[in-house]
Amino acid sequence: MAERVHPAEEQPLFISPASAPPVSADAAPPVPPHQVLNQRDQFIYKVPNNATYSTVPVPPPRRRRSPCCCCLTCLCAGLIAVIAILGIAVLVFYLVVHPRLPKYSIQSAQIKTFNLTPASQNLDSDVVFTVRARNPNKKIGIYYDDIDVTLYYDDESIGYGSIPAFYQGHKNTTMLEVDIQGENTTLDSDAVQTLKSSIDDNSSIFLYARTRARIRIKIGSWKSRHIKVTVKCTVQVRAPSSTSSSKLLSESCKFRL
């Protein structure tokens, strides 16, 4: 006959401190409520639901600069350095040399010939100007190549002349004479009527002279390359008549590089 198996005595779920068995000194310490033992006697840590966490920020990875960016940065830095050096050099040059533009003025104007033929609208002219050229610089000399001069009336060229090459030293004033001649210059009808009226009334005539030249600057023993310059002058003269000669009434000249 088989043996009856009696169920084991059930252990209470809660044990009061008074009825708890004594704990020996060699016994393991009690397990905290948030730690439990698994079947292999290993601690498993249970995180409480109300726990708070503190996170440490991780810096983003550094980006490496491309070679093109480095080259562009070096190029910009070099360009800025060159501009700065040139600016300093120009400032030093200006403070040491103190360059100034030359000045020109017309001292006299003589109309030798100014014959107008209204029927053919042709003009024969011969005008002589005396020009005063002033170099105000103390340390700069000016070399002038041959100078071409064109004379205009009412925006139409009526004669040509030239001034031979010359050198103008420091703080120097040079008087130049230029003879401008034109033959059988055809004018439009409006210019002919205006010019004829001025000659008949012995009134003033406005003439315009444009000078083109190539110059070189000399500082000490150094000479620059050729530089193109233009001088424009506006001249008001009294028209000549049978009883009176021409006379300079006003003038103004502008120098341009």
Side-chain angles (χ1 to χ4, degrees):
M1 185 174 178
E3 296 181 357
R4 295 184 63 180
V5 179
H6 298 279
E9 186 178 357
E10 294 182 357
Q11 298 293 332
L13 295 177
F14 300 97
I15 302 175
S16 62
S19 61
V23 180
S24 63
D26 297 334
V31 179
H34 56 272
Q35 294 182 359
V36 296
L37 288 173
N38 61 3
Q39 296 178 357
R40 297 181 181 180
D41 297 336
Q42 294 178 348
F43 284 105
I44 299 176
Y45 186 84
K46 292 185 177 182
V47 180
N49 295 332
N50 59 351
T52 58
Y53 304 91
S54 61
T55 58
V56 178
V58 179
R62 293 184 178 181
R63 295 182 180 180
R64 295 184 179 181
R65 293 184 177 180
S66 63
C68 294
C69 294
C70 295
C71 293
L72 183 60
T73 302
C74 295
L75 180 62
C76 293
L79 183 61
I80 293 174
V82 171
I83 293 175
I85 293 173
L86 290 177
I88 294 173
V90 170
L91 179 61
V92 172
F93 174 80
Y94 180 81
L95 294 177
V96 174
V97 180
H98 195 65
R100 300 171 62 185
L101 294 176
K103 298 180 180 180
Y104 305 92
S105 61
I106 295 178
Q107 301 297 301
S108 65
Q110 180 184 3
I111 299 179
K112 294 183 176 180
T113 305
F114 218 70
N115 297 329
L116 177 63
T117 307
S120 59
Q121 298 183 353
N122 290 337
L123 174 67
D124 296 332
S125 61
D126 186 357
V127 182
V128 179
F129 291 117
T130 302
V131 182
R132 181 178 182 268
R134 172 69 178 169
N135 178 15
N137 296 284
K138 296 181 180 180
K139 299 181 180 181
I140 299 178
I142 304 175
Y143 285 95
Y144 289 88
D145 290 354
D146 292 342
I147 302 173
D148 297 326
V149 183
T150 305
L151 188 63
Y152 294 85
Y153 175 79
D154 197 21
D155 296 334
E156 296 189 32
S157 60
I158 59 174
Y160 301 93
S162 63
I163 301 174
F166 67 98
Y167 171 74
Q168 191 172 30
H170 311 154
K171 304 284 290 185
N172 177 263
T173 300
T174 305
M175 304 301 293
L176 306 170
E177 188 174 275
V178 53
D179 189 358
I180 304 174
Q181 299 179 2
E183 294 182 0
N184 296 326
T185 304
T186 303
L187 305 177
D188 60 22
S189 58
D190 293 338
V192 170
Q193 293 297 328
T194 304
L195 183 58
K196 183 177 182 303
S197 177
S198 299
I199 294 175
D200 294 341
D201 299 338
N202 194 22
S203 59
S204 62
I205 299 174
F206 284 92
L207 301 176
Y208 304 91
R210 184 178 65 184
T211 301
R212 292 181 176 177
R214 298 175 65 200
I215 66 173
R216 289 183 298 164
I217 295 175
K218 179 183 178 183
I219 303 176
S221 59
W222 176 80
K223 297 179 182 178
S224 70
R225 296 183 177 181
H226 283 92
I227 304 172
K228 294 182 179 181
V229 299
T230 302
V231 180
K232 295 181 179 181
C233 297
T234 302
V235 183
Q236 183 183 12
V237 296
R238 187 181 301 279
S241 63
S242 58
T243 59
S244 62
S245 59
S246 60
K247 181 182 179 181
L248 178 63
L249 300 178
S250 65
E251 59 83 28
S252 64
C253 295
K254 295 181 180 180
F255 177 86
R256 294 182 181 179
L257 294 174

